[in-house]
Amino acid sequence: MNYHLGLDIGSSSIKAALVEINSGKSIGVVQEPKEEMSMFAQKNGWAEQEPKDWWLHVCNAIQSLRKQYNINKTQIKGIGISYQMHGLVLVDKQGEPLRKSIIWCDSRAVATGKNAFKQIGEEKCATQLLNSPANFTASKLKWVKENEPDIYNQIYKFMLPGDFIAYKFSNKINTTISGLSEGIFWDFKNDKIADFLLEHYGLDASLVPDIVESFGMQSVVDQKGAEQSGLEIGTPIYYRAGDQPNNALSLNVFHPGEVAATGGTSGVFYAVTDSLSVKESNRVNNFAHVNYQKGAAARIGKLLCINGAGIQYRWLLNNLDVSSYEDMNKLASKIEVGSDGVCLIPFGNGAERMLNNKEIGTRVLNLNLNNHHKGHLCRAALEGIAFSFVYGMEILTSDGIKPKVIRAGNDNLFRSEIFANTVATLIDQEIEIYNTTGAIGAARAANLHTGDFASFSKTIMNNDYVMTFTPNKEKQAFKEAYQNWKKELELILNT
């Protein structure tokens, strides 16, 4: 039996998955290291990781996977890679990292991006980059040029985290249009590298890696990569994408009207569109999706992030006298829709881009100390987080998104019937639940070098489908609760 290997290069851990090529069935998933990877923070707001550590954990994960499932290296016929977005890896001519990677949650380049947005012009950035340069990879590279000129002068190429792992396998440095767009290096109007941004930042165009297709023969494992990883020389790398586009792919989200939802520590709506609309570019990011192709109808992923999601429910778990999420959900289920007036605003995880980067914190409103108890708090938290998703969908709708199908991973929030039903009812859209991961999706995507998207879709339905949440027919109580929540939120935002 032959397999594809999927890798998910996260900031917390590396996950590796094997799927059987013909059926797409997941054979197993392993995680390295067992404990969460550390981040280096020399100053407040900084976050860095050592790229060589990612590679070490990748090699250990492959070894563990092969040993655990008794897989010969010759049985692994291709590799797919998913990775943490927006990171910056810098290498010299020998391919050695010149410094630690500045990763996605590092905020040192915020001012750099804001200045560029004003100086280049908001309209030009919006219509050609579909985003502000903000705190993305291009702005981080500019920060290095300004603050670490000795390092900048030694750079041969910059890479995104997934590009670096592909390089370690193959000794070939390349990237994708989707990857360049997430770093804000892509000019969508002219379908090419954003030369005007490079010129504004004074960045040498030679630092940009060669471009390969997201699906196809990107490179192959060379002798050194084989020796270190335990894979066969010549094993192809067939696919690469950032984690949010890859999560959408894992849920079979490719076409306009299809939306992927994530309900983990933070929440995400990732909606695919063929429109280059940037009406909400201050609150929504726009990237080339994995199936974006030059000269073809656009495939843009509109990404709306909600920081105050699962982390809010986890905080309650840690601070209420309850032992599990299941217990919290049982308590919440005993309370009527609307939580008897208790309203929870769940934005206590820092600034919220969809609230124009305001930091309003978590707030519990209308609590009656005589009548309300922890069951009301649990229900209000689930509803408050669900309402934040609904609020986010209203923003996406104003930017032209018309959801035809919403698919979500079977993660912590979407395991809650209260949460999922509230979102489905208020958006008036079924939510399909699938049991998959980014590493499994990346492994399956390695098979898309054949171009057979229909078989890919069947693989996901046959292996991963769990259930569908349908809108509640009795909507009035949900609507009233949402309007009460929205009124409280807007009072805060307008204060």
Side-chain angles (χ1 to χ4, degrees), residues 360-386:
I360 64 174
T362 285
R363 306 191 187 200
V364 182
L365 305 165
N366 308 326
L367 193 67
N368 185 303
L369 301 180
N370 295 310
N371 299 330
H372 296 140
H373 51 72
K374 57 188 175 185
H376 293 89
L377 285 175
C378 292
R379 176 101 198 188
L382 284 172
E383 290 185 337
I385 301 164

Side-chain angles (χ1 to χ4, degrees), residues 129-148:
L129 302 174
L130 305 189
N131 299 280
S132 162
N135 187 42
F136 296 116
T137 311
S139 299
K140 291 168 181 171
L141 183 54
K142 171 63 171 175
W143 183 93
V144 172
K145 185 177 192 292
E146 288 186 334
N147 294 276
E148 299 173 345

Side-chain angles (χ1 to χ4, degrees), residues 57-94:
H57 297 314
V58 163
C59 294
N60 288 341
I62 293 171
Q63 182 181 9
S64 175
L65 201 57
R66 285 185 51 208
K67 183 178 179 181
Q68 188 170 338
Y69 296 98
N70 193 27
I71 303 295
N72 189 290
K73 64 182 179 182
T74 61
Q75 293 176 273
I76 298 175
K77 300 299 185 181
I79 305 167
I81 301 172
S82 168
Y83 59 89
Q84 50 173 298
M85 298 170 73
H86 315 309
L88 175 67
V89 180
L90 304 173
V91 298
D92 61 18
K93 288 184 178 180
Q94 287 70 47

Side-chain angles (χ1 to χ4, degrees), residues 8-9 81-86 104 136 178 182 239-254 259-272 285 287-290 301-307 389 407 409 411 438:
D8 187 5
I9 316 301
I81 301 172
S82 168
Y83 59 89
Q84 50 173 298
M85 298 170 73
H86 315 309
W104 64 276
F136 296 116
S178 180
E182 76 179 63
Y239 164 76
R240 193 180 326 161
D243 51 13
Q244 291 302 334
N246 181 72
N247 286 345
L249 168 141
S250 303
L251 292 164
N252 193 34
V253 168
F254 291 103
V259 181
T262 304
T265 300
S266 59
V268 168
F269 274 134
Y270 183 98
V272 177
N285 295 128
F287 305 120
H289 193 33
V290 290
K302 286 188 175 291
L303 191 157
L304 182 137
C305 184
I306 306 157
N307 285 337
F389 274 71
R407 300 189 179 107
D411 48 22

Side-chain angles (χ1 to χ4, degrees), residues 14-310:
I14 308 298
K15 294 183 178 68
L18 280 175
V19 301
E20 198 276 315
I21 293 176
N22 292 331
S23 69
K25 181 180 178 181
S26 172
I27 305 304
V29 181
V30 300
Q31 173 182 309
E32 288 289 340
K34 305 306 179 198
E35 302 297 326
E36 189 169 313
M37 283 193 292
S38 60
M39 296 182 190
F40 302 92
Q42 187 176 340
K43 296 183 179 179
N44 288 340
W46 289 22
E48 301 179 352
Q49 289 183 322
E50 178 56 66
K52 288 184 177 180
D53 288 348
W54 302 334
W55 176 241
L56 173 65
H57 297 314
V58 163
C59 294
N60 288 341
I62 293 171
Q63 182 181 9
S64 175
L65 201 57
R66 285 185 51 208
K67 183 178 179 181
Q68 188 170 338
Y69 296 98
N70 193 27
I71 303 295
N72 189 290
K73 64 182 179 182
T74 61
Q75 293 176 273
I76 298 175
K77 300 299 185 181
I79 305 167
I81 301 172
S82 168
Y83 59 89
Q84 50 173 298
M85 298 170 73
H86 315 309
L88 175 67
V89 180
L90 304 173
V91 298
D92 61 18
K93 288 184 178 180
Q94 287 70 47
E96 290 296 315
L98 290 164
R99 65 175 331 282
K100 294 181 178 69
S101 171
I102 303 175
I103 65 173
W104 64 276
C105 52
D106 185 293
S107 59
R108 74 186 70 186
V110 168
T112 302
K114 282 184 178 178
N115 290 336
F117 194 41
K118 292 177 182 177
Q119 292 163 7
I120 294 172
E122 295 186 12
E123 183 178 355
K124 185 168 185 174
C125 287
T127 56
Q128 294 187 232
L129 302 174
L130 305 189
N131 299 280
S132 162
N135 187 42
F136 296 116
T137 311
S139 299
K140 291 168 181 171
L141 183 54
K142 171 63 171 175
W143 183 93
V144 172
K145 185 177 192 292
E146 288 186 334
N147 294 276
E148 299 173 345
D150 290 345
I151 288 176
Y152 181 83
N153 291 332
Q154 298 177 66
I155 299 172
Y156 173 60
K157 297 289 180 184
F158 74 80
M159 287 183 267
L160 297 157
D163 301 336
F164 179 76
I165 297 303
Y167 159 72
K168 292 297 288 183
F169 276 120
S170 65
N171 200 36
K172 299 289 185 185
I173 297 176
N174 50 43
T175 193
T176 64
I177 291 175
S178 180
L180 288 171
S181 79
E182 76 179 63
I184 319 300
F185 288 102
W186 193 251
D187 180 344
F188 287 89
K189 182 178 180 181
N190 297 299
D191 242 355
K192 66 184 186 71
I193 299 294
D195 296 327
F196 71 92
L197 180 66
L198 296 179
E199 290 169 8
H200 178 80
Y201 275 163
L203 302 175
D204 192 333
S206 69
L207 304 183
V208 181
D210 294 336
I211 299 173
V212 293
E213 297 290 337
S214 293
F215 308 108
M217 179 75 79
Q218 297 179 349
S219 58
V220 298
V221 175
D222 72 350
Q223 182 173 344
K224 186 176 180 181
E227 290 171 355
Q228 294 181 0
S229 69
L231 296 182
E232 181 82 342
I233 295 174
T235 305
I237 297 172
Y238 280 134
Y239 164 76
R240 193 180 326 161
D243 51 13
Q244 291 302 334
N246 181 72
N247 286 345
L249 168 141
S250 303
L251 292 164
N252 193 34
V253 168
F254 291 103
H255 305 296
E258 296 175 349
V259 181
T262 304
T265 300
S266 59
V268 168
F269 274 134
Y270 183 98
V272 177
T273 178
D274 55 5
S275 168
L276 298 182
S277 166
V278 288
K279 179 183 176 184
E280 295 288 358
S281 61
N282 286 333
R283 300 195 283 179
V284 177
N285 295 128
N286 302 276
F287 305 120
H289 193 33
V290 290
N291 55 342
Y292 181 97
Q293 290 186 315
K294 290 178 67 173
R299 288 293 181 268
I300 304 298
K302 286 188 175 291
L303 191 157
L304 182 137
C305 184
I306 306 157
N307 285 337

Side-chain angles (χ1 to χ4, degrees), residues 374-429:
K374 57 188 175 185
H376 293 89
L377 285 175
C378 292
R379 176 101 198 188
L382 284 172
E383 290 185 337
I385 301 164
F387 294 156
S388 71
F389 274 71
V390 176
Y391 190 84
M393 183 54 75
E394 289 179 352
I395 295 170
L396 288 171
T397 300
S398 77
D399 206 5
I401 295 298
K402 297 177 181 178
K404 298 175 183 176
V405 60
I406 299 175
R407 300 189 179 107
N410 192 27
D411 48 22
N412 56 5
L413 283 173
F414 282 99
R415 287 175 183 158
S416 164
E417 186 175 350
I418 291 172
F419 171 82
N421 272 335
T422 300
V423 176
T425 300
L426 289 168
I427 293 177
D428 196 24
Q429 179 66 55

